[in-house]
Amino acid sequence: MVIWMPRPTPARVRLAAQRIGEHLAAWRKLQGLTAEQVAERAGISRGTLRRLEQGETTVGVDALLNVARVLGTLDRVVESFDPYETELGRARAAEILPQRVRPQQGPR
């Protein structure tokens, strides 16, 4: 019998989640919105918003994106993932991206 054990969350990921949570709380407060208002508009519970603002990494991406939408930052979140806004992406923009990336095989 194999028992699956979740891997611990890397420290950098925990720190990033904490910072994102702090930023979301700051955006909410800058706009004069209560946690209840944001949670209701995002279609999530107040507890889920609290977990997101506290940097818990188990909150779903859909909750994060809905809160970003409510706070008016969704476009910035999407743009931050645009590979063509990076040096690497601009340098390789003319290349056609493959449908799949397969692991490279070493010498035989």
Side-chain angles (χ1 to χ4, degrees):
M1 172 191 260
V2 176
I3 299 176
W4 180 80
M5 296 293 292
R7 292 184 179 175
T9 303
R12 287 188 66 191
V13 172
R14 287 193 316 269
L15 179 60
Q18 182 180 0
R19 290 183 61 204
I20 289 169
E22 291 168 358
H23 294 325
L24 291 173
W27 274 108
R28 176 176 61 77
K29 292 172 184 177
L30 284 169
Q31 296 179 48
L33 297 170
T34 67
E36 188 65 36
Q37 289 172 317
V38 171
E40 183 178 316
R41 293 175 189 178
I44 61 174
S45 70
R46 171 67 185 91
T48 298
L49 179 61
R50 179 176 48 251
R51 290 176 36 229
L52 193 55
E53 289 184 352
Q54 290 176 348
E56 289 191 26
T57 58
T58 58
V59 179
V61 173
D62 58 333
L64 170 63
L65 295 177
N66 274 310
V67 169
R69 176 186 52 79
V70 169
L71 298 175
T73 59
L74 181 59
D75 290 339
R76 291 181 62 186
V77 171
V78 172
E79 288 170 11
S80 73
F81 283 95
D82 184 350
Y84 297 107
E85 292 298 320
T86 66
E87 286 185 36
L88 174 64
R90 286 188 291 272
R92 300 184 81 180
E95 295 179 22
I96 297 173
L97 295 178
Q99 291 296 316
R100 292 184 183 167
V101 176
R102 299 187 197 297
Q104 294 180 356
Q105 295 183 2
R108 291 183 181 206

